[in-house]
């Protein structure tokens, strides 16, 4: 038995919004074929057959993303889950997840998500004014009210979801306000992702970009309010802190950017083309097509091997850093600054140093408290 996961883009880069900082809008312009169309049922069936064959009864996670994956339509997802049940002869355990802007979510979607046990990532950048600066629709209108409406429908149908927030130059200074707002709305599962610059460009140049100094302050401010809640017995899940706490408890993190080596995410575009990571869905990293090759052939491709080996590079500064055991160099996509030895170092390096120095003893304390509670 083997565990595997695939990240499927059934609507390619198509979206019903035009967020100013969208990394995938940038990515698709850097390849020969920008739009891969809508995924066919034939390609979906190939994904299902080949993941089930590869897994041989293990755990499979089917995650859907875009662009906006709901643009493929609810019938596609009903077909997909039905086909999985039909073909899952060796009874692999199946997990489903979808990252969405929520615009199309209604009662029909919510009922389906509940019945099929989907975990939803709902994109939201804080309060109304903060969200509507960058997260706008195709008519330049804010999307806050529609996202909140989607969250209310998901709650009504008891669908599990977390709120995913892109930290940018605007909302980075308002994190306490955002955190308190999310708690008030009952959003107790949060994920904060630093905004990305266009692929291959220097960090910090765009109007929405974060400075390393800003991000360090952001992490400390967020940690302080989270730390107080955890100590008071009111655990709020923040993915980055959850992973760090897990490491302090002697476990491995689940987040790929915290493992010290890139993993092959098997990102499958609408035409079946497969890539190692959502941040690198460009021609240079093409690993094959799911309609033509098996999962085993794809993950053993030369591009997959090169992608993994490149992620193992650490600067001499990193190797000597006292926080390397928990930082592990960070996400490859953030490595844009040249170190003293000519290798690339993480743009947020100083942010992480400042944060780990501040939070280390407190994480040790929380790990001790939580281990006793268990």
């Amino acid at each position: 038995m083997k565990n595997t996961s695939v990240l499927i883009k059934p609507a390619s880069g198509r979206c019903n919004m035009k967020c100013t900082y969208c990394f995938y809008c940038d990515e698709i312009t850097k390849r020969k074929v920008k739009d891969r169309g809508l995924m066919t049922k034939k390609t979906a069936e190939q994904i299902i057959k080949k993941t089930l064959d590869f897994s041989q009864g293990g755990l499979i996670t089917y995650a859907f993303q875009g662009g906006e994956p709901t643009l493929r339509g609810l019938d596609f997802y009903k077909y997909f889950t039905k086909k999985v049940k039909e073909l899952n002869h060796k009874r692999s355990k199946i997990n489903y997840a979808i990252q969405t802007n929520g615009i199309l979510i209604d009662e029909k979607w919510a009922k389906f998500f509940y019945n099929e046990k989907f975990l939803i990532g709902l994109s939201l950048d804080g309060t109304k004014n903060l969200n509507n600066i960058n997260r706008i629709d195709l008519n330049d209108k804010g999307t806050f009210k529609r996202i909140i409406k989607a969250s209310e429908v998901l709650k009504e149908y008891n669908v599990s979801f977390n709120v995913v927030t892109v930290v940018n130059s605007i909302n980075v200074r308002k994190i306490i306000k955002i955190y308190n707002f999310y708690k008030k709305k009952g959003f107790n599962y949060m994920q904060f992702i630093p905004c990305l610059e266009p692929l291959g460009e220097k960090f910090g140049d765009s109007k929405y970009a974060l400075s390393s100094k800003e991000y360090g302050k952001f992490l400390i401010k967020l940690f302080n309010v989270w730390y107080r809640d955890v100590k008071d017995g009111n655990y709020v899940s923040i993915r980055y802190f959850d992973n760090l706490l897990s490491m302090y408890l002697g476990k491995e993190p689940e987040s790929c950017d915290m493992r010290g080596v890139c993993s092959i995410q098997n990102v499958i575009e609408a035409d079946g083309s497969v890539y190692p990571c959502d941040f690198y869905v460009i021609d240079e990293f093409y690993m094959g097509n799911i309609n033509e090759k098996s999962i085993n052939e794809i993950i053993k491709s030369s591009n997959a091997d090169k992608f993994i080996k490149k992620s193992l590079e650490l600067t001499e500064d990193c190797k000597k850093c006292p926080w390397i055991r928990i930082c592990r160099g960070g996400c490859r996509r953030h490595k844009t600054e040249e170190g003293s030895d000519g290798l690339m170092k993480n743009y947020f390096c100083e942010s992480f140093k400042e944060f780990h120095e501040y939070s280390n003893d407190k994480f040790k304390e929380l790990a001790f408290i939580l281990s006793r509670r268990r």
Side-chain angles (χ1 to χ4, degrees):
M1 294 192 298
K2 298 178 182 178
N3 296 338
T4 189
S5 63
V6 289
L7 196 159
I8 304 166
K9 292 181 176 288
S12 190
R14 299 180 185 187
C15 194
N16 48 6
M17 287 175 60
K18 52 177 182 179
C19 302
T20 59
Y21 50 63
C22 179
F23 77 87
Y24 206 64
C25 289
D26 163 67
E27 239 169 272
I28 61 178
T29 64
K30 290 179 166 65
R31 61 194 194 198
K32 290 181 180 178
V33 181
K34 178 179 177 181
D35 185 358
R36 305 298 172 84
L38 297 176
M39 182 171 285
T40 65
K41 289 182 178 180
K42 179 181 177 181
T43 296
E45 185 172 345
Q46 286 299 309
I47 293 171
I48 294 165
K49 285 181 176 179
K50 290 178 180 179
T51 49
L52 288 170
D53 181 63
F54 179 78
S55 174
Q56 292 292 305
L59 171 67
I60 304 175
T61 298
Y62 295 111
F64 299 90
Q65 204 174 65
E68 175 48 44
T70 59
L71 289 177
R72 185 59 183 88
L74 182 54
D75 287 345
F76 172 83
Y77 293 91
K78 288 181 177 179
Y79 168 82
F80 194 100
T81 54
K82 181 181 179 181
K83 185 60 66 173
V84 169
K85 291 170 186 173
E86 288 177 3
L87 299 176
N88 190 10
H89 306 302
K90 295 189 177 180
R91 297 183 180 181
S92 289
K93 182 180 179 182
I94 308 297
N95 287 339
Y96 291 111
I98 188 168
Q99 181 64 42
T100 176
N101 59 35
I103 301 299
L104 296 180
I105 302 301
D106 58 14
E107 291 184 354
K108 290 180 180 178
W109 279 99
K111 185 176 181 180
F112 168 78
F113 288 147
Y114 174 78
N115 289 338
E116 300 298 336
K117 296 181 175 59
F118 268 65
L119 173 64
I120 314 300
L122 184 64
S123 298
L124 177 66
D125 280 0
T127 58
K128 180 179 179 180
N129 291 339
L130 294 171
N131 179 85
N132 288 347
I133 292 172
N134 291 304
R135 299 192 61 77
I136 55 176
D137 66 16
L138 299 180
N139 295 313
D140 295 322
K141 293 183 179 180
T143 56
F144 177 82
K145 289 183 179 179
R146 284 169 280 178
I147 299 170
I148 294 300
K149 183 178 180 181
S151 74
E152 291 168 350
V153 174
L154 292 173
K155 283 183 183 179
E156 182 181 350
Y157 281 84
N158 295 313
V159 179
S160 298
F161 71 96
N162 58 64
V163 171
V164 181
T165 298
V166 176
V167 186
N168 55 71
S169 60
I170 304 299
N171 62 11
V172 68
R173 297 185 292 272
K174 303 290 184 180
I175 184 53
I176 304 303
K177 183 177 183 180
I178 293 171
Y179 180 81
N180 289 333
F181 169 69
Y182 285 175
K183 281 179 57 182
K184 184 178 180 180
K185 296 295 293 183
F187 302 156
N188 291 323
Y189 294 87
M190 310 174 193
Q191 186 175 349
F192 296 93
I193 304 171
C195 191
L196 290 173
E197 292 281 27
L199 189 63
E201 294 185 18
K202 184 179 179 181
F203 265 64
D205 284 352
S206 67
K207 64 180 181 180
Y208 49 75
L210 291 170
S211 72
S212 182
K213 186 175 182 180
E214 282 180 323
Y215 191 55
K217 290 180 178 178
F218 164 88
L219 288 174
I220 289 173
K221 287 180 181 178
L222 179 59
F223 175 80
N224 282 337
V225 289
W226 176 81
Y227 168 76
R228 286 196 293 268
D229 279 341
V230 176
K231 283 198 70 176
D232 290 341
N234 302 316
Y235 197 97
V236 174
S237 174
I238 296 177
R239 189 185 183 196
Y240 178 54
F241 296 161
D242 290 348
N243 273 269
L244 284 173
L245 188 53
S246 179
M247 294 170 79
Y248 276 89
L249 287 165
K251 303 175 183 177
E252 281 297 301
E254 53 79 24
S255 184
C256 63
D257 61 325
M258 302 175 72
R259 294 176 185 166
V261 58
C262 286
S263 57
I264 300 300
Q265 295 179 8
N266 296 309
V267 181
I268 307 179
E269 253 286 3
D271 64 346
S273 299
V274 188
Y275 304 84
C277 172
D278 196 28
F279 293 157
Y280 295 93
V281 186
I282 56 177
D283 299 337
E284 179 184 351
F285 297 100
Y286 173 75
M287 300 192 304
N289 193 295
I290 196 71
N291 290 300
E292 302 164 356
K293 295 185 176 183
S294 68
I295 294 289
N296 205 45
E297 288 174 317
I298 287 169
I299 63 176
K300 289 183 178 180
S301 71
S302 59
N303 276 349
D305 186 55
K306 284 189 291 185
F307 184 79
I308 292 172
K309 286 181 178 178
K310 182 68 176 176
S311 72
L312 291 169
E313 291 182 357
L314 285 177
T315 67
E316 288 302 314
D317 292 339
C318 275
K319 293 176 182 178
K320 296 174 183 176
C321 179
W323 307 112
I324 187 61
R325 60 187 175 82
I326 49 178
C327 172
R328 300 181 181 180
C331 178
R332 170 179 172 170
R333 187 68 158 76
H334 298 155
K335 293 181 179 180
T336 62
E337 298 290 301
E338 192 172 292
S340 58
D341 51 6
L343 297 175
M344 304 307 283
K345 72 173 184 178
N346 198 303
Y347 171 75
F348 296 112
C349 178
E350 298 306 316
S351 303
F352 293 136
K353 283 182 180 178
E354 181 183 13
F355 174 67
H356 291 314
E357 287 171 3
Y358 178 83
S359 64
N360 181 51
D361 289 342
K362 293 181 175 64
F363 266 117
K364 288 180 179 179
E365 177 190 6
L366 291 180
F368 177 73
I369 291 171
L370 293 178
S371 63
R372 292 192 67 183
R373 284 180 184 170
R374 293 173 186 174

